[in-house]
Amino acid sequence: MKVRPIDEDGLRQVEQWLAADPDGGASFGGFYGQAVQRWTPLLQAPSRHGWITFDETGPVGFIDLEILDDEAEIMYYVSPGRRGEGLGRPTVEHVVELAKDLGARFIHATVDPSNQAGLATLRAAAFTDEGPDEFGEIEFTLQADA
């Protein structure tokens, strides 16, 4: 898995993926479906990071990482055409390493309870299932310095 910082072309790619993805669009489309407009200003903050993930065949998905103090919130997405190829776990492992490199000691992620692949990916990556949050999503944590 490789990453490159997300730029305006990458943000447009995110919008295209979500527009063509009923499941991902339903989960992420509200914010990331308007990535150019909504994510661009956030990426100006030193605490916010975004990357396009890719492999030798091309773009795979994207990563969103926010770090405040030593707490990181991660979000990752694998594009519909690349799902089922085992790319979720290396993507999560990569974003965990990026978060650690940027000083995170604790990493948080949430997953819609119907996203069985996402739930399995975070569990396989040693995240702890904390149960549902106030929005009904399943919250996961990982102590990065353990």
Side-chain angles (χ1 to χ4, degrees):
M1 185 68 47
K2 298 177 185 174
V3 297
R4 71 171 191 266
I6 201 160
D7 58 12
E8 195 164 321
D9 289 337
L11 293 171
R12 280 197 219 41
Q13 176 68 67
V14 168
E15 290 177 349
Q16 290 171 8
W17 279 327
L18 292 171
D21 179 3
D23 294 329
S27 296
F28 303 118
F31 177 79
Y32 298 103
Q34 298 175 27
V36 174
Q37 175 188 355
R38 292 189 174 171
W39 204 3
T40 299
L42 296 176
L43 290 171
Q44 305 306 310
S47 62
R48 193 70 176 255
H49 309 275
W51 294 275
I52 290 289
T53 57
F54 63 98
D55 63 12
E56 63 280 348
T57 65
V60 170
F62 68 91
I63 295 171
D64 184 8
L65 169 64
E66 182 173 30
I67 300 177
L68 300 172
D69 298 322
D70 62 354
E71 303 265 340
E73 181 74 32
I74 65 168
M75 204 296 302
Y76 72 97
Y77 175 86
V78 176
S79 65
R82 301 302 306 273
R83 291 183 190 146
E85 297 179 27
L87 296 168
R89 180 134 181 218
T91 299
V92 168
E93 289 170 352
H94 199 88
V95 73
V96 165
E97 288 306 311
L98 291 166
K100 287 180 185 179
D101 290 347
L102 292 167
R105 292 184 52 229
F106 302 95
I107 301 171
H108 305 274
T110 58
V111 178
D112 185 287
S114 67
N115 182 348
Q116 295 302 311
L119 295 169
T121 297
L122 290 174
R123 288 176 180 134
F127 277 75
T128 301
D129 184 333
E130 303 292 348
D133 66 11
E134 67 271 18
F135 305 107
E137 293 191 329
I138 306 302
E139 187 171 349
F140 287 87
T141 59
L142 177 72
Q143 187 170 343
D145 60 355

